[in-house]
Amino acid sequence: QVQLVESGGGTVQPGGSLTLSCTASGIFFNALDMAWYRQSPGAQREVVASIGSGMKKTYAESVEGRFTISRDNAKATLYLQMTNLYPEDTAVYYCYAYLGRSWWGQGAQVTVSS
């Protein structure tokens, strides 16, 4: 059974930083294409950043230069380092994995507020 477990969400002031983690189990992590999505109330879920099994990275324009996606295959863990956070970054952030089919994490709330 494949599981994606996220951690690291929380509340931070504008301009602050947070790092999200997503640990996978039940599957060969190295072969997964992975991504972070987010969803704000009333909005559609949107991709924030992705990293392929070959380490190619892509970012949404809104987070380019502020967020960094990375993965540690030895730890079967995906990361999202978020810096210079804006109030509009407030959302539930989801870990996503794909290998022939897709899996989702349970979501981690990130709130940016003064």
Side-chain angles (χ1 to χ4, degrees):
Q1 182 179 356
V2 177
Q3 280 194 311
L4 301 176
V5 180
E6 298 151 1
S7 60
T11 300
V12 64
Q13 292 187 338
S17 300
L18 277 176
T19 296
L20 301 178
S21 300
C22 170
T23 299
S25 61
I27 194 167
F28 184 53
F29 184 82
N30 299 33
L32 293 169
D33 292 324
M34 303 202 71
W36 289 98
Y37 282 72
R38 68 185 180 187
Q39 188 167 22
S40 305
Q44 287 192 332
R45 194 171 294 190
E46 62 176 0
V47 61
V48 174
S50 68
I51 183 168
S53 57
M55 297 297 186
K56 181 180 178 180
K57 302 178 184 181
T58 63
Y59 295 93
E61 188 175 331
S62 60
V63 306
E64 183 85 54
R66 299 188 297 123
F67 291 11
T68 301
I69 190 170
S70 62
R71 62 193 293 166
D72 185 335
N73 288 342
K75 295 182 179 180
T77 301
L78 176 73
Y79 302 98
L80 185 68
Q81 294 176 277
M82 304 181 290
T83 63
N84 192 20
L85 283 159
Y86 305 153
E88 49 265 42
D89 294 317
T90 295
V92 178
Y93 284 71
Y94 295 92
C95 174
Y96 169 88
Y98 180 81
L99 180 62
R101 57 152 288 179
S102 56
W103 294 270
W104 293 92
Q106 82 281 4
Q109 177 68 49
V110 172
T111 301
V112 185
S113 173
S114 55

